[in-house]
Amino acid sequence: VAGQPRTRLALDERRAQLLALGQEMFSARSYDEISIDEIAAAAGVSKGLLYHYFPTKRDFYVAGLREAAAEIRALTEPDLSLPPAERLQHSLRAYLDYVETHAVGFRSLLRGGIGSDAEVRAILDETRAGTEARVLDGIGLVDPPPAVRLALRGWLAFVEEVSLEWLDRREPDRDTLVDVLMVVLGSAVEAAARAG
Amino acid sequence: VAGQPRTRLALDERRAQLLALGQEMFSARSYDEISIDEIAAAAGVSKGLLYHYFPTKRDFYVAGLREAAAEIRALTEPDLSLPPAERLQHSLRAYLDYVETHAVGFRSLLRGGIGSDAEVRAILDETRAGTEARVLDGIGLVDPPPAVRLALRGWLAFVEEVSLEWLDRREPDRDTLVDVLMVVLGSAVEAAARAG
């Protein structure tokens, strides 16, 4: 019993290492191109051990996505000590920091390859819905009209696309990019609110 | 020889029918879920005939995408008799008309399921690059700085996402939505131009 925590930790660490490796591999090549054999070989473990953690390649992939989504969510948690408008700016900075330091995993999350899979879609949708709720909170809207919701979804897509492209050149700098994103959010919500 | 044009036409028509059916099926369910057997059965043709047109399921899928992309491109061709700014508005209206009348095919193009496939990615990238060039023409920019290019890519993602969501409720009306899209484009490009 005394050794159990350490064993559990070792198991969790191994699992996390496998997931990190998976994010890296799936981000460089497509889901279909990568086999379980290749993953096991790259990780230096037996296929049997890999299957012990993840019964199928899809399970492995989905677990990696879930991990990345949870990480982003935690890192961009609004800082409630800040005024609402600054919370959003703060979260966007944290988001871009994540994007920068986890470039590979981030690409994997958004462009990994099985976006039509129901569970993958659900993880992305859930992440986006969570972000949407935070943004609504940040701009102080409780029950916005359909056009504003539409604009918010559009803005989230804007942020995702720009973040992915930004990784290639890192221009402009992070804070300037956050300013641009805030301006676009403001004008999109305003124009949509006028549209009703 | 006299009968050849009619035969060719019949072949093209059959091919177009198969592609339309494919867009419908791939839009309702994911790429992996649909088998060649099922496609042949739904089309009321033999697997052999289907393979005659499209050697693999992937070929079939990619041909459908290519078709939809070409159609969108043709329909949103800028009307050069209009002033540049109005050209863009005009193309956006035509784009939303396409989205509305080809809802199924449009969903298939953007969310069909093998987005990580290199050829699929290339079709989407090519379509987006073509749209980007038109938008640059529309706003009179020849060689924009990186931040503006970034904002344009973000705006294209905004437009795609909003169009997809718009299909569910069709609110606000088409022209109002085009106005919102134009406002967002203007503010995004302006903010990005200031950012350098």
Side-chain angles (χ1 to χ4, degrees), chain A residues 131-160:
Chain A
T131 311
E132 200 183 312
R134 285 178 178 180
V135 174
L136 281 174
D137 177 62
I139 57 180
L141 280 176
V142 178
D143 189 24
V148 172
R149 261 191 199 284
L150 209 58
L152 271 183
R153 294 308 291 246
W155 182 74
L156 292 182
F158 187 105
V159 173
E160 283 179 8

Side-chain angles (χ1 to χ4, degrees), chain A residues 30 111-113 116 121 146-147 150-151 153-155 157-158 161-162 165-166 169 171-172 176-177 180 183-184 187-188 191-192 195, chain B residues 30 111-113 116 121 146-147 150-151 153-155 157-158 161-162 165-166 169 171-172 176-177 180 183-184 187-188 191-192 195:
Chain A
S30 83
R111 301 280 189 267
S116 70
R121 198 59 76 81
L150 209 58
R153 294 308 291 246
W155 182 74
F158 187 105
E161 177 71 22
V162 159
E165 295 276 327
W166 180 66
R169 306 182 55 150
E171 271 182 81
T176 307
L177 182 55
V180 173
V183 167
V184 173
S187 82
Chain B
S30 82
R111 301 280 188 266
S116 69
R121 201 57 78 81
L150 209 58
R153 294 308 289 248
W155 182 75
F158 187 106
E161 178 70 21
V162 159
E165 295 276 328
W166 181 66
R169 306 182 55 152
E171 268 181 85
T176 307
L177 182 55
V180 173
V183 168
V184 173
S187 83

